[in-house]
Amino acid sequence: MTTSQTAMIDITGLRKSFGPLEVLKDINLQVKAGGVVALLGPSGSGKSTLLRCMNLLVVPDAGRIRVGDTTFQFGASTERPGTKPLAAFRSRTGMVFQNFNLFPHMTVLENVIEAPIHVRRLDRKTAIDLGMSQLEKVGLADRASQRPQTLSGGQKQRVAIARALAMEPSVMLFDEATSALDPELVGEVLQTMQQLAADGMTMVIVTHEIAFARDVADRVVFMRDGYVVEEGPAGEVINTPRMEATKTFLSHFHKGAI
Amino acid sequence: MYQWDFSILWDYRWIFLQGLGVTVSFTLAIIAGGLVVGLAAAIGLLSRFAVLRGVSLGFIEIFRCTPVLVQLIWCYYALPMLAGVEMTPVTASLLALSCYGGAFYAEIIRGGIVSIDAGQSEAASALGMTPALAMRRIILPQALRRMVPPLMNQSILQFKNTSLVSVLAVPDLVYQGQMAAHDSFRPLETYTAVAAAYFAILFPLTLFVRWRERRSEET
């Protein structure tokens, strides 16, 4: 078990409701620095909402979130944080979306350097050097001057990863990063993510790619109905799940594997 | 049979040109003013504060649901009494027509902004942009492209609406036309020429907007 002192992400007592629907019910979770955690679970289990709470794209109703050395406390008695502290907090976490969400009115390089220039306030030259080196890392430096519309899905997602990395975040969050891709394009994105994990990036991954979770994540968190049902080392949870819900969820995967 | 004689108008060419100059510069001013008012009202409509939304909606509906001629006259005669400020006909006209145009621009701008996929502002937020920065750098540049044809249509209407300022004795094309008609006793020729001048400017613009609309549908 990681201790809260060395954890990069520390979540305590997190709750979130959308109207009458309680999506997250008392979530406690830690991710150690350099750790890779996969969030698994059926759709509607709350895993995407939990991920979006980690960079406060979704603001929780109650609980505490710490990423790095920034802590936010939520509850009926605490005021909702203002837009400036929220933005500053988000600038230190990178997020990759299912639908890429690249900016279509900018070139690939402009996509990558937009936030470094306007949020981190780097000068243009430094930002371009940084942006090109990130594009290099995902193997798309030669596409820098193209529009995102001209790229394949896999290339778009790699640009989105480079764009997030250009903020030099302490944590990367992946929200079903391969779910919108044609099957033959999934590999290149997973490979980029695997490389990132090998480089020591702290990562939280919401995914349906069970085999990838087993091979790349060091821990797996299985969620259902807004609860963490089971948590442990990736190989253990996926190969020998203890809880009935986890077994049921993974049975399709195991059938396919055998 | 009436004997048409347009040659008489040649003596008034400078008056017509002056009037046209006033009309064109008035149009440009109320398009600019209207866009500022419209953008502010549109952002108010999209605000998360209910009071701002209410104020914007109230403003828009007042200017959409009253005749623009009444607004002009009200701004010139009634507003100075209420606010206790003197207003020249030009100021009153600029104010009324900018607000009138702004009310229509606001709906167009709001529609353009909400048509941009929510993922765009999510991505901007996730990169650490404040809502204001995301609006300026990510949402508006994309929304503007979609807004151009309807904004141009509305601006064409604004060009025609400037003709109303003649009732406040602002020397625009219509007002100068009236002067020329009284002076020459040739209303038929003068007003025909005035109408032709409006048409000569607006018809090519209309064609251009239609061409732009078709082109944006294709892409």
Side-chain angles (χ1 to χ4, degrees), chain A residues 56-233:
Chain A
L56 300 181
L57 266 189
V58 171
V59 178
D61 298 329
R64 205 183 67 213
I65 296 181
R66 181 177 66 75
V67 174
D69 46 19
T70 312
T71 307
F72 280 101
Q73 180 81 45
F74 301 95
S77 57
T78 44
E79 218 177 307
R80 192 192 145 100
T83 53
K84 290 248 164 71
L86 275 182
F89 178 75
R90 290 184 190 129
S91 71
R92 294 190 291 272
T93 58
M95 184 173 243
V96 176
F97 299 88
Q98 180 176 353
N99 295 317
F100 329 125
N101 296 343
L102 294 177
F103 306 135
H105 58 306
M106 298 179 179
T107 65
V108 164
L109 180 63
E110 283 167 348
N111 263 275
V112 178
I113 64 175
E114 174 68 17
I117 289 177
H118 292 279
V119 178
R120 290 178 69 195
R121 306 213 160 274
L122 300 183
D123 65 83
R124 203 176 164 77
K125 170 93 180 52
T126 316
I128 288 174
D129 289 345
L130 173 70
M132 285 310 293
S133 78
Q134 297 302 346
L135 284 174
E136 202 91 50
K137 201 180 275 181
V138 299
L140 289 170
D142 55 329
R143 307 295 174 122
S145 57
Q146 279 179 236
R147 294 270 167 172
Q149 297 87 308
T150 64
L151 303 180
S152 75
Q155 291 170 329
K156 282 181 190 166
Q157 196 59 297
R158 281 148 63 200
V159 171
I161 292 172
R163 179 175 69 175
L165 288 176
M167 291 300 284
E168 304 190 312
S170 47
V171 171
M172 283 285 283
L173 309 172
F174 292 86
D175 191 6
E176 305 202 13
T178 57
S179 298
L181 297 176
D182 293 335
E184 72 270 21
L185 302 176
V186 170
E188 59 185 89
V189 173
L190 292 183
Q191 203 185 340
T192 307
M193 290 165 66
Q194 191 159 15
Q195 184 56 49
L196 202 55
D199 291 346
M201 176 62 79
T202 308
M203 292 163 60
V204 182
I205 302 168
V206 170
T207 185
H208 293 296
E209 303 282 339
I210 313 283
F212 177 74
R214 184 187 56 197
D215 299 340
V216 176
D218 42 36
R219 292 186 76 77
V220 162
V221 172
F222 179 76
M223 290 182 70
R224 209 181 87 165
D225 300 330
Y227 290 106
V228 171
V229 175
E230 186 168 353
E231 185 194 348

Side-chain angles (χ1 to χ4, degrees), chain B residues 2-217:
Chain B
Y2 184 79
Q3 289 293 313
W4 291 85
D5 182 11
F6 280 100
S7 65
I8 198 94
L9 297 177
W10 186 247
D11 295 337
Y12 299 95
R13 62 191 181 280
W14 298 116
I15 292 181
F16 279 120
L17 272 179
Q18 265 175 20
L20 191 62
V22 169
T23 292
V24 168
S25 37
F26 229 92
T27 306
L28 296 177
I30 62 172
I31 287 173
L35 284 174
V36 172
V37 171
L39 185 62
I43 287 173
L45 279 180
L46 296 166
S47 164
R48 58 197 171 97
F49 301 110
V51 179
L52 267 180
R53 288 201 302 271
V55 168
S56 294
L57 195 65
F59 167 83
I60 290 168
E61 291 311 327
I62 284 172
F63 278 91
R64 289 211 311 183
C65 301
T66 52
V68 61
L69 185 55
V70 174
Q71 292 164 18
L72 266 175
I73 294 170
W74 194 88
C75 274
Y76 184 56
Y77 294 104
L79 188 60
M81 288 164 76
L82 272 182
V85 287
E86 277 300 302
M87 245 195 260
T88 65
V90 171
T91 321
S93 307
L94 283 176
L95 187 69
L97 289 177
S98 294
C99 289
Y100 175 78
F104 286 91
Y105 287 139
E107 262 312 310
I108 296 170
I109 294 172
R110 190 201 66 89
I113 289 173
V114 299
S115 78
I116 301 301
D117 179 44
Q120 292 289 306
S121 50
E122 268 196 342
S125 291
L127 287 166
M129 296 191 191
T130 58
L133 182 64
M135 182 57 76
R136 190 163 59 80
R137 296 285 313 169
I138 308 301
I139 309 299
L140 272 185
Q142 295 182 58
L144 271 174
R145 257 165 246 204
R146 296 189 194 178
M147 291 175 211
V148 166
L151 285 180
M152 285 175 65
N153 267 326
Q154 188 59 43
S155 301
I156 284 174
L157 293 178
Q158 286 284 78
F159 183 78
K160 289 194 287 185
N161 286 334
T162 57
S163 63
L164 294 168
V165 302
S166 58
V167 299
L168 299 186
V170 175
D172 76 324
L173 185 56
V174 171
Y175 185 84
Q176 300 291 35
Q178 284 169 352
M179 293 298 109
H182 286 273
D183 193 63
S184 63
F185 304 106
R186 288 280 182 176
L188 222 57
E189 282 85 351
T190 30
Y191 291 134
T192 307
V194 166
Y198 278 104
F199 186 83
I201 292 176
L202 283 181
F203 185 57
L205 284 175
T206 321
L207 289 182
F208 177 70
V209 174
R210 232 179 260 168
W211 172 76
R212 278 267 341 209
E213 262 171 353
R214 252 206 318 275
R215 209 186 53 165
S216 68
E217 271 161 26

